[in-house]
Amino acid sequence: DSGVTQTPKHLITATGQRVTLRCSPRSGDLSVYWYQQSLDQGLQFLIQYYNGEERAKGNILERFSAQQFPDLHSELNLSSLELGDSALYFCASSVAPGTAIQETQYFGPGTRLLVL
Amino acid sequence: AQSVTQLDSHVSVSEGTPVLLRCNYSSSYSPSLFWYVQHPNKGLQLLLKYTSAATLVKGINGFEAEFKKSETSFHLTKPSAHMSDAAEYFCVVSGSNTGKLIFGQGTTLQVKP
C-alpha cells in the first residue's frame, strides 16, 4: 500500500458526459501528479500540482482540468468524454515539487474509466 | 528532451534463471532514472531509482540496475526469476526539475515454471 488513495476504482459512463476522479496524497506529500495509461499511448504525464499551484503540464487535453485543494487532495475533471478517453488514470504524490535529483513518486491504485 | 526506450516489449524466462530487461535513455542533463513494476490490475510500485550516486543500484525483491553513461543504458537484472516476478516493467526518466516522469513503453515479463 503506497498511501495514495484514489476514488472511484472503476467508472463507467457515456460519451459526452463529465466525471471527476479524486486523489488523496500520502500524508506529508505536497505534490500531486496525474497520469493516463492507455493501450495506444502507454503511460503519459498529464499535470502536476504542488501545494495548490499548477507546477507542470503534459499532454492534457483542454477538455480535462485538475485542481489541488487546501487539504492537498486533488481532483481530475474530464468533460465531453469520448471513447478514446477510456483508460486507467493514476495519481501519484511526492514530498517536493521535483528537482534535479528526483523525489520518489508513490502511485495510487488508479481509476479505470470506461466510456461507452 | 528526455526519453526512454525499452528494447524488448516481451521477455520470457524460466523460473530460477536470470532476468535482463533492457532500457536506453536520452537526456540533455544528468538524469534520474527509475524502474517501476505493475502487477496485473495493480498500481505502480517503485523497484529502484538512480539519482547520480552509486551506478549500481539495488532495489526491492532482488532486482538491480546499472547506470552506464557511456552506453546511455539502465538495464534491470535479477539473478533468479520467481513466478511472482511476472508483471509489466517500466523504465522511467525524470523530465527536468518539475517532477514529470517519462515512461518507456513497458516490458512484459513472463516467468515459466
Side-chain angles (χ1 to χ4, degrees):
Chain A
D1 185 359
S2 67
V4 179
T5 60
Q6 290 186 247
T7 57
K9 287 186 178 178
H10 302 276
L11 201 47
I12 302 174
T13 188
T15 55
Q17 295 298 305
R18 171 189 167 95
V19 297
T20 297
L21 312 184
R22 182 188 169 102
C23 168
S24 293
R26 292 188 324 151
S27 176
D29 284 0
L30 299 179
S31 262
V32 170
Y33 310 78
W34 287 97
Y35 294 85
Q36 179 194 59
Q37 185 178 30
S38 62
L39 284 175
D40 53 346
Q41 298 288 335
L43 259 161
Q44 287 197 100
F45 168 76
L46 295 178
I47 197 164
Q48 177 197 2
Y49 279 82
Y50 173 70
N51 205 20
E53 300 290 326
E54 183 183 303
R55 171 85 175 170
K57 227 169 184 177
N59 298 326
I60 187 166
L61 300 171
E62 284 191 11
R63 299 183 285 108
F64 296 1
S65 64
Q67 54 184 327
Q68 187 179 27
F69 294 86
D71 66 352
L72 301 176
H73 90 272
S74 177
E75 293 181 355
L76 179 67
N77 300 296
L78 315 176
S79 61
S80 302
L81 285 167
E82 301 176 359
L83 296 178
D85 297 328
S86 296
L88 190 52
Y89 291 85
F90 285 110
C91 166
S93 73
S94 70
V95 173
T99 63
I101 296 179
Q102 180 57 51
E103 294 280 338
T104 297
Q105 290 184 27
Y106 295 89
F107 283 75
T111 293
R112 188 170 296 279
L113 174 66
L114 179 60
V115 182
L116 300 175
Chain B
Q2 289 74 44
S3 66
V4 286
T5 302
Q6 291 184 244
L7 300 174
D8 306 290
S9 59
H10 187 271
V11 170
S12 181
V13 301
S14 297
E15 190 175 20
T17 64
V19 175
L20 171 63
L21 305 183
R22 299 182 296 163
C23 172
N24 286 351
Y25 71 91
S26 173
S27 178
S28 52
Y29 57 87
S30 184
S32 292
L33 292 159
F34 309 79
W35 277 97
Y36 278 85
V37 62
Q38 184 179 25
H39 290 275
N41 299 314
K42 299 280 188 182
L44 292 153
Q45 182 184 22
L46 179 69
L47 278 178
L48 50 81
K49 70 176 182 180
Y50 166 78
T51 55
S52 75
T55 56
L56 181 62
V57 183
K58 294 187 183 298
I60 61 171
N61 301 334
F63 285 95
E64 288 184 351
E66 186 171 7
F67 173 75
K68 291 187 176 180
K69 187 175 180 179
S70 60
E71 299 176 10
T72 62
S73 69
F74 190 57
H75 301 335
L76 182 70
T77 61
K78 183 174 181 178
S80 176
H82 192 272
M83 295 298 291
S84 61
D85 295 328
E88 186 85 7
Y89 291 79
F90 293 95
C91 182
V92 184
V93 65
S94 64
S96 74
N97 63 350
T98 63
K100 166 185 173 180
L101 295 181
I102 299 164
F103 284 78
Q105 286 300 106
T107 298
T108 302
L109 176 64
Q110 180 188 22
V111 182
K112 297 179 287 188

